[in-house]
C-alpha cells in the first residue's frame, strides 16, 4: 500500500443488520463486491444502538438478542474508485445511507 498515501475518500455505508441482498446479509455482499473490485479494504462495524429515518431505536435486548442493530461499513479509496462503485451499491441498498468525506491517508 505504499502508493496509497495522500488524499482519498472515506465512504461510510449505514445499513441494518437484517438487510439482505440475494438472500445473504447485505454487509457481506458489499464487502465481497469491494473485495472483487480490488478495493484497498473495508471494515464492518456493528453498533450497539441507533436509529435512522424511521426514528425507531434499534438496540440489543437484555438477553443479548439482536433487534436489527445498526451496521456501518467503512472503505477508504480513491475518488474515482468510490464513484465507480456507487451505481452497484445503489442497486443493492433498498434503504440506508451512504456518506462520503475527504480523508488524508498518512500511513
Amino acid at each position: 500500500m505504499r502508493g496509497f498515501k495522500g488524499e482519498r475518500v472515506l465512504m461510510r455505508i449505514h445499513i441494518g443488520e437484517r438487510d439482505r441482498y440475494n438472500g445473504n446479509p447485505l454487509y457481506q455482499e458489499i464487502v465481497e463486491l469491494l473485495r472483487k473490485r480490488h478495493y484497498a479494504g473495508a471494515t464492518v462495524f456493528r453498533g450497539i444502538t441507533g436509529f435512522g429515518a424511521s426514528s425507531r431505536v434499534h438496540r440489543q435486548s437484555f438477553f443479548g438478542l439482536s433487534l436489527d442493530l445498526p451496521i456501518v461499513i467503512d472503505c477508504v479509496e480513491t475518488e474515482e474508485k468510490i464513484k465507480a462503485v456507487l451505481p452497484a451499491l445503489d442497486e443493492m441498498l433498498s434503504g440506508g445511507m451512504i456518506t462520503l468525506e475527504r480523508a488524508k491517508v498518512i500511513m
Side-chain angles (χ1 to χ4, degrees):
M1 281 240 228
R2 286 193 139 205
F4 200 71
K5 289 182 181 179
E7 293 295 319
R8 297 291 181 256
V9 173
L10 166 62
M11 174 174 60
R12 189 165 279 153
I13 305 166
H14 300 260
I15 59 175
E17 187 175 34
R18 290 186 184 168
D19 291 343
R20 300 291 231 219
Y21 185 75
N22 288 336
N24 299 314
L26 178 57
Y27 66 88
Q28 288 179 355
E29 291 284 329
I30 292 171
V31 168
E32 187 60 21
L33 170 70
L34 298 172
R35 190 189 66 78
K36 283 181 179 176
R37 291 189 179 199
H38 306 287
Y39 280 55
T43 302
V44 178
F45 300 94
R46 183 175 184 232
I48 58 172
T49 190
F51 71 92
S54 70
S55 294
R56 195 183 76 153
V57 175
H58 303 267
R59 68 178 65 127
Q60 193 167 338
S61 75
F62 177 75
F63 298 105
L65 299 174
S66 165
L67 297 177
D68 196 21
L69 294 174
I71 297 285
V72 177
I73 304 160
D74 279 0
C75 176
V76 177
E77 242 317 337
T78 63
E79 185 173 8
E80 295 77 24
K81 286 185 89 171
I82 294 294
K83 284 182 178 180
V85 80
L86 290 176
L89 292 172
D90 185 50
E91 180 183 310
M92 296 170 81
L93 273 69
S94 60
M97 174 176 65
I98 299 175
T99 62
L100 304 176
E101 58 188 83
R102 298 231 173 262
K104 184 169 179 108
V105 176
I106 59 172
M107 295 184 77

